[in-house]
Amino acid sequence: MNDMAKNLILWLVIAAVLLTVFNNFSVDSSPQTMNYSQFVEQVQEGQVRSVTIDGYTIAGERSDGSQFQTIRPAAQDPKLMDDLLANDVSVTGKKPEEQSLWTRLLIASFPILIILAIFLFFMRQMQGGAGGKGGPMSFGKSKAKLLTNDQVKTTFADVAGCDEAKEEVEELVDFLKDPSKFQRLGGQIPRGVLMVGPPGTGKTLLAKSIAGEAKVPFFSISGSDFVEMFVGVGASRVRDMFEQAKKQAPCIIFIDEIDAVGRSRGAGMGGGNDEREQTLNQLLVEMDGFEANEGIIVIAATNRPDVLDPALTRPGRFDRQVVVGLPDIRGREHILGVHLRKVPLGEDVKPSLIARGTPGFSGADLANLVNEAALFAARRNRRLVGMEELELAKDKIMMGAERKSMVMTEKEKLNTAYHESGHAIIGLLMPEHDPVYKVTIIPRGRALGVTMFLPEEDRYSLSRQQIISQICSLFGGRLAEEMTLGPNGVTTGASNDIKRATELAHNMVAKWGLSAEMGPIMYDEDESHQFLGGPGQGGGKLKSGETTTRLDKEVRRIIDECYAQAKQLLEDNRDKLDIMAEALIQYETIDADQLKDIIEGRKPRPPKDWGNDDDSGSGSPVADSQSETDEGSGEDEEERPNRKPSDPLGGPAGH
């Protein structure tokens, strides 16, 4: 269709040019031109030898051999022929020129050809233009983007921090390179691989690296690209996508965010979605139906595997689930090595220290950290990215951007210093509490001050003592205000601390079974799937009024005990509280080395000089966990940089 339209337009242009040339082409010897009256006089005087009459044009030759030309008027002159014959003038008539058959045919059909060309042009546009996509007639065409084997440059060398996931998919590369290796032993490669993991862990990058290693075509599409407002369009796109893939086999089809089209059928509030369910049905048939799709491997990525339809995740369709989780400390170091290769580094940069201080960071987070460090260095007109810029970038991501322009009164500044000192002292003195990494009273994000705690190693669960210590440290800020300002001087800055402490205590009793009074029983159902026909739909357990009362009393008992324990610690270490508040007023930010000096009763040393970097102090934070962020406005919201693998508010990982 496209080639025919192009050829037709070309021939129309050529015909128009030729027609113009033929109409204007004539042999002109430039004869002398005279008016009609002079012509008649010369005829009557016998000066004209011969004439040729062609309509209104009269061309002739005089007796002396010269040529002439004249135009007779439209009025008839019946005496002209008599004068010509009387003066022995040779008269020749010229037959009127007739157009050729092809010329007349072209002129007659030219309007029709123009209309046909316009019609073909609009039909081509409706079908999506040169690429065949995007037009209103291309609803049923697949929107998958095809990357040929020479376009995919990503390999396993570009993927780090997920060694187990890479091992899982390496045999896919072997199969795509040499299928007979598996087929002669009766083995079949998985038809589908489902990559599961939190956002930013590299699922798409890993899928692209498979295509890059195997050197096969790579179709990429999002789950939302299948669904349209018209029922049946998504199913048509699925069919078209697999038809294209069969022509390119062996190849890889990558469907990102497959949960957009693969959710459980008939689940959810308000009934199902006919278009999405029809699309899912077609995908199920294409992956494991009567017609085999040899050489086509479907790789899908999602961070919500729990919402997928069971028919989609069964063996024969997505046979294998590859978990691409958050990287551990070694994985983070390798990921940093990949991203740090792209920027000029100073000699003081130590990726191992950055990896230790960023637990819970995904690959995307680490890439963002390196980029922020490069931006910091560019603002300072540095030629190299140093450890100082990387630390600043880490603090910005974990604690929020500094608001240096915010003006605080001396009273608010002193109150914030005591508040953060209360958090830090309780965290330093409570058993099994995460070490304090940094304390600052510089406003960051929506917080007036921040206290950062970093665990010594990656942690995936919490003990009862660790939770108790966290609750105590959360109340440290409020208690410090109460000790310095009195009961009536306590501010609203601890509102978010109280909220988080209450949630921890409630989860201990109702979810985690860490209360001897209530026993190892779950009293609160998980409400995360209330829109998928789960407990939120009315199927959850109901508690009696007596049980609810006991739960509330137990939560109150835990809170009161932690509050009293934290208060006693602060009262016993009031001198350290005052010293730390004074240090915060002086330096605004103090690190682990300065905190150690204060706890040991010494005057805190000056802030660290980045020019003499070593492996201690704030340059070597030993990981991340929780931050106490306090609102001067008393709002309950805060930007909580809690990036550890297990979130105590959601429950320890693995439990």
Side-chain angles (χ1 to χ4, degrees):
M1 176 75 70
N2 294 338
D3 293 339
M4 184 178 71
K6 292 179 181 179
N7 292 334
L8 180 61
I9 293 174
L10 178 62
W11 281 111
L12 287 175
V13 172
I14 293 175
V17 172
L18 292 177
L19 185 62
T20 303
V21 172
F22 289 154
N23 287 338
N24 291 279
F25 181 79
S26 63
V27 178
D28 189 3
S29 59
S30 299
Q32 181 184 358
T33 302
M34 68 175 66
N35 58 39
Y36 187 72
S37 299
Q38 293 175 336
F39 166 68
V40 173
E41 291 178 359
Q42 291 184 6
V43 169
Q44 293 175 352
E45 294 174 357
Q47 298 179 9
V48 178
R49 179 183 302 170
S50 63
V51 296
T52 301
I53 302 176
D54 181 7
Y56 289 97
T57 303
I58 300 176
E61 181 182 359
R62 296 186 183 90
S63 300
D64 58 4
S66 61
Q67 303 290 326
F68 69 90
Q69 181 176 314
T70 187
I71 304 298
R72 71 177 179 85
Q76 294 294 331
D77 185 4
K79 295 183 179 181
L80 175 61
M81 291 302 298
D82 296 339
D83 292 340
L84 292 173
L85 296 175
N87 292 280
D88 297 328
V89 177
S90 175
V91 179
T92 304
K94 191 172 183 181
K95 181 180 178 181
E97 184 178 353
E98 295 183 358
Q99 293 178 332
S100 67
L101 176 63
W102 289 108
T103 303
R104 285 181 290 170
L105 181 62
L106 179 62
I107 294 175
S109 61
F110 190 76
I112 300 176
L113 294 176
I114 292 295
I115 295 173
L116 181 61
I118 294 174
F119 175 76
L120 293 175
F121 172 77
F122 280 105
M123 284 295 296
R124 181 168 174 243
Q125 292 299 113
M126 291 177 68
Q127 292 184 352
K133 297 180 181 178
M137 299 297 289
S138 63
F139 281 135
K141 298 295 183 181
S142 171
K143 293 186 178 182
K145 298 178 182 178
L146 172 62
L147 300 177
T148 58
N149 51 7
D150 56 340
Q151 290 178 303
V152 182
K153 306 297 183 181
T154 306
T155 63
F156 284 153
D158 302 312
V159 183
C162 52
D163 295 338
E164 295 82 1
K166 286 167 64 174
E167 292 175 1
E168 286 279 340
V169 299
E170 278 180 354
E171 67 180 31
L172 297 179
V173 176
D174 295 337
F175 172 78
L176 291 169
K177 289 182 176 179
D178 185 15
S180 61
K181 174 182 176 181
F182 299 88
Q183 293 171 349
R184 63 171 171 258
L185 296 176
Q188 294 183 350
I189 203 68
R191 298 188 182 183
V193 176
L194 182 64
M195 294 188 177
V196 179
T201 52
K203 299 182 289 295
T204 304
L205 184 66
L206 182 59
K208 190 176 292 187
S209 68
I210 297 173
E213 289 285 343
K215 299 298 182 183
V216 296
F218 181 82
F219 289 88
S220 175
I221 192 170
S222 171
S224 60
D225 288 335
F226 291 112
V227 183
E228 291 283 356
M229 63 181 294
F230 302 107
V231 176
V233 172
S236 176
R237 289 178 178 175
V238 172
R239 288 191 295 269
D240 184 68
M241 180 180 67
F242 276 87
E243 287 296 329
Q244 294 182 32
K246 290 175 185 176
K247 299 175 182 178
Q248 301 286 342
C251 65
I252 292 174
I253 295 177
F254 177 66
I255 306 175
D256 198 9
E257 303 297 343
I258 194 174
D259 51 277
V261 70
R263 287 178 176 265
S264 296
R265 291 165 290 183
M269 302 177 65
N273 183 308
D274 287 340
E275 164 63 357
R276 180 175 54 77
E277 292 184 4
Q278 293 293 342
T279 305
L280 175 59
N281 292 338
Q282 186 63 41
L283 182 61
L284 296 176
V285 172
E286 291 290 346
M287 291 192 67
D288 188 17
F290 285 103
E291 185 177 358
N293 293 316
E294 297 295 338
I296 300 175
I297 296 178
V298 181
I299 302 176
T302 181
N303 48 35
R304 291 295 307 276
D306 51 307
V307 306
L308 297 180
D309 193 279
L312 191 64
T313 56
R314 72 159 174 83
R317 292 193 175 113
F318 284 107
D319 309 81
R320 181 175 300 178
Q321 288 194 15
V322 177
V323 178
V324 187
L326 294 172
D328 56 13
I329 183 170
R330 291 179 55 197
R332 292 194 297 274
E333 186 174 353
H334 293 160
I335 293 173
L336 284 169
V338 172
H339 295 297
L340 289 174
R341 289 201 301 260
K342 304 174 184 177
V343 297
L345 297 178
E347 297 181 356
D348 61 336
V349 174
K350 298 179 180 178
S352 60
L353 299 184
I354 305 172
R356 291 168 60 190
T358 53
F361 272 47
S362 65
D365 293 327
L366 295 171
N368 184 40
L369 186 149
V370 175
N371 182 64
E372 288 287 348
L375 295 179
F376 272 119
R379 293 191 198 107
R380 299 179 172 191
N381 296 320
R382 302 274 180 89
R383 293 186 301 169
L384 301 175
V385 177
M387 197 68 180
E388 181 180 3
E389 286 76 27
L390 290 167
E391 283 290 327
L392 290 173
K394 184 178 67 174
D395 289 346
K396 178 181 178 181
I397 294 172
M398 298 173 71
M399 297 188 293
E402 293 184 357
R403 292 188 294 172
K404 295 183 178 180
S405 61
M406 183 176 179
V407 179
M408 295 175 59
T409 64
E410 291 299 324
K411 182 178 179 180
E412 283 183 329
K413 194 172 182 181
L414 180 62
N415 183 52
T416 303
Y418 271 106
H419 189 110
E420 300 304 328
S421 298
H423 285 311
I425 289 177
I426 299 297
L428 289 167
L429 298 177
M430 285 299 297
E432 298 187 30
H433 198 285
D434 299 328
V436 182
Y437 156 54
K438 184 176 292 186
V439 185
T440 179
I441 59 171
I442 298 175
R444 287 179 175 269
R446 299 193 303 271
L448 297 180
V450 179
T451 301
M452 286 297 296
F453 299 95
L454 298 177
E456 296 179 346
E457 58 187 9
D458 288 350
R459 189 178 61 217
Y460 302 96
S461 62
L462 295 172
S463 67
R464 188 179 188 280
Q465 180 59 59
Q466 288 173 331
I467 299 173
I468 292 294
S469 297
Q470 284 192 26
I471 296 175
C472 291
S473 66
L474 285 168
F475 284 123
R478 176 186 170 90
L479 285 167
E481 292 183 11
E482 186 177 329
M483 293 172 59
T484 55
L485 303 175
N488 294 329
V490 176
T491 68
T492 59
S495 60
N496 194 72
D497 298 330
I498 296 173
K499 174 185 175 183
R500 289 164 53 193
T502 305
E503 288 177 346
L504 282 172
H506 180 81
N507 289 340
M508 285 180 61
V509 177
K511 289 185 178 181
W512 301 334
L514 298 178
S515 169
E517 172 68 21
M518 302 305 296
I521 300 174
M522 176 175 282
Y523 295 96
D524 284 354
E525 290 285 353
D526 186 5
E527 299 179 357
S528 60
H529 310 317
Q530 57 179 332
F531 296 107
L532 300 173
Q537 298 291 338
K541 291 193 295 185
L542 299 176
K543 299 187 291 290
S544 66
E546 180 183 355
T547 301
T548 303
T549 302
R550 292 175 59 201
L551 284 172
D552 293 340
K553 288 182 178 180
E554 184 64 10
V555 171
R556 178 58 186 268
R557 184 189 66 80
I558 294 174
I559 293 292
D560 289 344
E561 289 182 358
C562 292
Y563 196 86
Q565 186 177 0
K567 185 176 182 180
Q568 186 63 45
L569 277 176
L570 280 184
E571 289 177 348
D572 295 342
N573 296 273
R574 175 60 188 266
D575 57 334
K576 298 180 178 61
L577 180 66
D578 294 332
I579 295 174
M580 189 177 298
E582 292 176 3
L584 283 172
I585 293 294
Q586 180 180 359
Y587 299 121
E588 291 189 331
T589 300
I590 56 178
D591 57 23
D593 289 337
Q594 294 168 300
L595 290 169
K596 183 178 179 181
D597 293 339
I598 294 172
I599 292 299
E600 294 177 355
R602 299 193 303 269
K603 184 178 179 180
R605 68 191 73 178
K608 182 177 180 179
D609 183 6
W610 285 98
N612 299 317
D613 188 31
D614 53 35
D615 291 350
S616 61
S618 62
S620 58
V622 282
D624 151 272
S625 175
Q626 148 194 355
S627 81
E628 322 296 354
T629 312
D630 306 301
E631 299 286 344
S633 61
E635 297 178 359
D636 286 343
E637 291 185 34
E638 70 163 297
E639 198 165 342
R640 180 187 182 210
N642 186 353
R643 312 190 65 89
K644 61 179 178 297
S646 61
D647 186 348
L649 300 184
H655 284 201

